[in-house]
Structures are given as C-alpha cells and as structure tokens.
C-alpha cells in the first residue's frame, strides 16, 4: 500500500469517527445525570471483571516495548497491575459521585428592558484526546468527557493499543447499560501516525484537541492543528529550597517529589537551592536519594563530590527517571529568574518557613500550579478532588492546571423575554 493510500485511509477513518462522535454528542448533551453515572459505574465494574484480559493485553504491550529497548521509566508508565486497574475503576466511580457540571447557572442578571439572561454551562462537544504510553489516561479521559457531556475520540500511543482496546470496550459496556451510544467514546484503532495529523485537521467534526505527552507531541499539535487545542506541556518542575527552609521537611518532600513515581508529569526534575544552606543540605540530600543520579552546577558539585556535572540541556529536561538537576542560587530573586527561564509552567514549589518569602514566590512564579511546603506530585486532578484528570493544562486560555469536569465545559447564554423588540 502506498503512503498516499495510507493517508487517505486514515483521513476516512477519522472523518467517520468524527461524524459518529458529532451525532452521539447531540444525544449525550441531553442525557440525564443518572444515565451518565450508570454508564460510569457499570464501566468500573467491567474493568474489574475484565482485569485478567486487560492485564494479558497489557503484557503484550509491555513485551513489545521491552523488545524495542524502551527505558524502564517508559515501561513504568505503560505497565498495569491489579492495583492500577482497581485505581482506574475507583476513579470512574469517583467521577460518578461528583456533581454534574452541565446545566449549572453560572450567572443570572435582569436587564432594564425586562430581559432575563442566564449563563449556563454546556458541553464543549467532540473532543480529540491524543496521549502517549499511559493506558489509564484513556479511562480517565473517557469518564471525564462522558460526565461532562462530551463525546471523545481517543488516540492513545501505539505502544498501549492492546490495553486501550480492552479499556474502551469496558467503557462501551457502561454506555450500553445506560442506553447511550457506544460512539460517545471511540478509539482510533491504528498505530498509523498519519491518524494524528488527520485528527488535527478534522475541524468539521472535532471541537477541541487535547494532547497529553512529551514536548515533541505537544509541539506537533501546536504547529499542525487546525482544531482549537488545550495544551498540556511536559512537567519540567522545580522545587526551590529557601534559606529559611526546614531541612528535614525539605528532604522528605524532595524525596517524595522526585522518587515516588519518576514517570509522572508531577515529578520534580530540578532543584534550586539557596547558597546559604547548600553545603549543609546537599550532602544530606545525596544520602536520602538512593539510586538517584544528581547533576549540578559547579557550586553544587563543590558541596558534594557525588554530584555529577550538569550541562545546559539538563536545566530544560523532563527526565521522567531517577535523575535530578541541582542549581545553587544566591537569593530568591535569582531562583525566580532561573525558574522563569527553565520551567515548563506546569508545577513549581518552594520550601520555606518564611511566610512572606513563600507569598512572593507564589505570586511571582507563572506556572499552572504553585506550591508551598508540599510535594509536586500532588499536582494531580484526583488529589485536587476532581476524581481524575485529563492532564495538567499549561496554557492560559480556558483552563489551567488539572483539567477535570468543570474545565471540560463551556457555556451558552439563555435569554428569556416577553415580546421585547430592540429600538
């Protein structure tokens, strides 16, 4: 088959998925809260019932990427186990318990001419979700879109295709039980990369594309999309250790932020340390971060010989691995400048007991999530009480930070009159 024929095939596939999603969106927009919740709870049960099949499919995905020589951090994001499948099911049930975001009166006001105007939350419509290795993203995205009244076209990473097929079928069981179209949640069932480009051009049917993955994917979407996008950039996250930090608290937080799960976007990748405490703090840090490579500037290396030299690329790298870069700075102002230059605007934190310093940091750092005395791994929709998340939006339009139900809605104005005409 020629490349041109492949492009035509994927264009046709995406167009058909788009048509079906658009038709299903009209039905889903009128679905009751009870229907949506039933679909989610039945889908959660289906995940549990089909756990053996899902783990078997996932094992095939993992075997394939191992043969391809992928890093262990990549495999960790891809690999499922009974606990992770249960967490997916619990997330669906949590979303079912949340208030329905559709139909809320966001504002109401009366005009002098007697018109009554109400701003009401509505679904966005058809969402294209493009994501990489983590199969649980398909379940979270499907559930959040369903509860917020949106249909979704899932284009997961080719490396997780076997797993995603089972997950989407479990979601379909829930939709059938609730008498909703299974086309509310559809899968781009191909590993052909031209399908991504086709989805980005499907402006007639797709209302919003959300990419979740590495910088390469996000930049591809940003450069080629003809559909509105909600960007989720990589998590090059920083923690600044202030001169007034509680060092024991800082060690505990950094260990968790870096090593709890190195492959998640909320993991800390870069540490910024005030020079006043660097000589005391960094040797303790090296003792705490077992099996973690630390790369630092000359000032950091002078504090501990175990710190390897960092190069310019390290400051802009999302490692997603047991690697941490360290920059020593003279003061808060220098820390803010460094973070502003190198952060991906995802999540950045400060460790300090000085409330005034913390307030300056929280106001000055221009990231979607800023934290004080807490692990950056809390940057997660589930931890924010959203049940789950589609990702962390790093832009500044429509939604920012964890994207949950509320962020997947838009609004319309309802205007009620009694025969008024405009003079």
């Amino acid at each position: 088959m020629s490349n041109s024929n492949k492009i035509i095939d994927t264009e046709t596939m995406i167009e058909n998925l788009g048509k079906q999603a658009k038709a299903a969106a009209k039905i889903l927009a009128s679905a009751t809260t009870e229907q949506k919740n039933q679909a989610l709870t039945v889908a959660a049960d289906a995940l549990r019932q089909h756990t053996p099949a899902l783990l078997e499919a996932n094992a095939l995905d993992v075997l394939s990427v191992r043969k391809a020589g992928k890093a262990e951090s990549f495999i960790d994001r891809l690999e499922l186990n009974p606990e992770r499948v249960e967490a997916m099911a619990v997330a669906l049930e949590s979303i079912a318990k949340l208030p329905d975001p559709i139909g809320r009166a966001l504002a109401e006001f009366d005009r002098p001419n007697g018109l009554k105007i109400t701003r009401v939350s509505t679904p966005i419509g058809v969402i294209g979700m493009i994501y990489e290795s983590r199969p649980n993203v398909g379940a979270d995205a499907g559930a959040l879109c369903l509860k917020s009244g949106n249909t979704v076209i899932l284009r997961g990473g080719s490396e997780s295709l076997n797993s995603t097929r089972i997950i989407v079928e479990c979601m379909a069981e829930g939709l059938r039980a609730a008498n909703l179209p299974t086309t509310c949640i559809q899968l781009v069932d191909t590993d052909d990369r031209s399908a991504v480009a086709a989805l980005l051009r499907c402006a007639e049917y797709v209302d919003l594309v959300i990419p979740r993955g590495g910088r390469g994917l996000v930049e591809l979407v940003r450069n080629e999309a003809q559909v509105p996008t909600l960007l989720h950039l990589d998590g090059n996250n920083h923690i600044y250790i202030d001169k007034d930090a509680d060092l024991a608290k800082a060690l505990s937080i950094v260990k968790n932020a870096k090593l709890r799960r190195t492959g998640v976007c909320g993991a800390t990748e870069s540490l910024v340390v005030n020079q006043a405490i660097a000589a005391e703090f960094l040797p303790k840090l090296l003792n705490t971060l077992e099996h973690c490579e630390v790369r630092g500037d000359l000032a950091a290396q002078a504090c501990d010989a175990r710190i390897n030299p960092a190069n310019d690329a390290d400051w802009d790298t999302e490692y997603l691995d047991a690697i941490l870069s360290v920059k020593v700075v003279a003061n808060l102002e220098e820390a803010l400048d460094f973070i502003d230059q190198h952060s991906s605007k995802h999540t950045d934190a400060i460790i300090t007991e000085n409330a005034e310093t913390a307030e300056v940091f929280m106001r000055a750092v221009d990231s979607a999530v800023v934290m004080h005395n807490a692990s950056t791994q809390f940057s997660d929709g589930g931890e924010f009480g959203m049940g789950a998340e589609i990702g962390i939006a790093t832009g500044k339009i429509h939604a920012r930070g964890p994207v949950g139900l509320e962020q997947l809605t838009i609004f319309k104005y309802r205007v009620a009159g009694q025969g008024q005409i405009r003079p």
Side-chain angles (χ1 to χ4, degrees):
M1 180 181 291
S2 70
N3 186 58
S4 61
N5 286 336
K6 285 176 67 179
I7 292 174
I8 292 171
D9 287 345
T10 54
E11 290 279 0
T12 302
M13 174 193 293
I14 296 300
E15 182 178 3
N16 289 336
L17 291 173
K19 286 179 181 178
Q20 292 167 351
K22 199 78 169 179
K26 295 178 182 179
I27 299 171
L28 184 57
S30 300
T32 65
T33 301
E34 291 72 23
Q35 278 181 290
K36 293 187 285 188
N37 290 345
Q38 181 185 10
L40 291 171
T41 53
V42 172
D45 289 340
L47 281 172
R48 294 188 177 101
Q49 292 169 8
H50 296 300
T51 294
L54 178 52
L55 294 181
E56 183 178 345
N58 183 251
L60 294 175
D61 291 331
V62 171
L63 178 62
S64 178
V65 298
R66 283 193 189 278
K67 288 181 177 178
K70 292 287 188 179
E72 284 300 317
S73 56
F74 183 94
I75 293 171
D76 177 66
R77 296 195 297 278
L78 171 63
E79 192 166 22
L80 295 175
N81 55 37
E83 292 74 25
R84 289 183 179 181
V85 176
E86 175 62 19
M88 280 195 286
V90 169
L92 267 58
E93 292 170 335
S94 298
I95 293 168
K97 294 174 183 176
L98 292 172
D100 194 327
I102 300 304
R104 294 172 297 141
L106 304 175
E108 296 178 284
F109 42 96
D110 296 334
R111 299 297 298 145
N113 61 6
L115 290 176
K116 295 183 179 295
I117 302 175
T118 308
R119 186 188 305 139
V120 178
S121 60
T122 62
I124 292 171
V126 178
I127 293 177
M129 183 72 198
I130 305 172
Y131 57 99
E132 295 175 336
S133 57
R134 295 176 63 186
N136 66 292
V137 173
D140 291 349
L144 288 167
C145 287
L146 174 62
K147 184 67 180 269
S148 57
N150 299 288
T151 58
V152 62
I153 300 171
L154 300 172
R155 205 298 181 179
S158 58
E159 63 280 343
S160 62
L161 190 54
N162 291 303
S163 306
T164 305
R165 287 184 183 125
I166 303 294
I167 291 169
V168 171
E169 180 51 39
C170 290
M171 303 298 290
E173 286 192 28
L175 290 164
R176 283 191 288 266
N179 198 29
L180 291 170
T182 58
T183 46
C184 288
I185 302 172
Q186 298 181 92
L187 170 65
V188 180
D189 197 353
T190 179
D191 59 3
D192 190 334
R193 296 193 177 199
S194 66
V196 173
L199 186 58
L200 295 177
R201 291 191 295 266
C202 195
E204 183 176 357
Y205 300 110
V206 177
D207 296 293
L208 179 70
V209 166
I210 303 176
R212 176 171 172 175
R215 183 176 292 269
L217 171 62
V218 174
E219 290 181 348
L220 170 70
V221 172
R222 181 163 48 196
N223 294 337
E224 296 192 12
Q226 297 175 18
V227 177
T229 60
L230 184 60
L231 298 180
H232 294 61
L233 204 58
D234 55 327
N236 186 21
N237 307 320
H238 297 70
I239 294 180
Y240 169 55
I241 312 298
D242 183 51
K243 63 182 179 63
D244 296 320
D246 178 324
L247 298 191
K249 184 183 294 182
L251 290 170
S252 174
I253 290 172
V254 173
K255 181 177 182 179
N256 180 269
K258 177 68 258 185
L259 296 180
R260 173 189 164 270
R261 284 193 69 184
T262 58
V264 298
C265 64
T268 290
E269 306 290 18
S270 189
L271 203 62
V272 184
V273 183
N274 191 291
Q275 66 182 14
I277 51 91
E280 179 183 359
F281 177 73
L282 288 176
K284 293 179 180 178
L285 178 71
L286 270 291
N287 293 336
T288 301
L289 299 185
E290 298 177 8
H291 310 299
C292 180
E293 180 186 354
V294 178
R295 303 173 183 174
D297 61 3
L298 290 174
Q301 294 172 61
C303 295
D304 195 298
R306 292 171 290 177
I307 298 178
N308 297 321
N311 58 41
D312 289 342
D314 282 303
W315 310 129
D316 298 305
T317 298
E318 182 189 30
Y319 298 113
L320 298 174
D321 204 347
I323 306 171
L324 180 71
S325 66
V326 177
K327 174 71 174 178
V328 176
V329 296
N331 49 45
L332 173 63
E333 290 71 27
E334 192 174 321
L336 292 171
D337 288 343
F338 181 83
I339 292 171
D340 182 61
Q341 182 178 354
H342 298 286
S343 172
S344 61
K345 313 303 182 186
H346 185 295
T347 302
D348 295 297
I350 182 172
I351 311 299
T352 186
E353 299 304 303
N354 187 315
E356 183 177 341
T357 301
E359 182 63 22
V360 171
F361 181 94
M362 302 279 274
R363 287 178 179 270
V365 172
D366 184 25
S367 294
V369 180
V370 289
M371 297 184 171
H372 175 208
N373 287 351
S375 168
T376 58
Q377 298 228 1
F378 282 112
S379 190
D380 174 87
E383 294 296 328
F384 278 38
M386 298 177 177
E389 67 175 29
I390 275 190
I392 307 291
T394 52
K396 295 186 178 181
I397 295 177
H398 177 66
R400 202 174 192 206
V403 175
L405 293 176
E406 181 181 346
Q407 292 75 25
L408 291 175
T409 65
I410 190 64
F411 55 82
K412 66 173 66 170
Y413 287 95
R414 295 182 180 177
V415 181
Q418 299 84 37
Q420 291 92 331
I421 59 173
R422 185 170 177 177

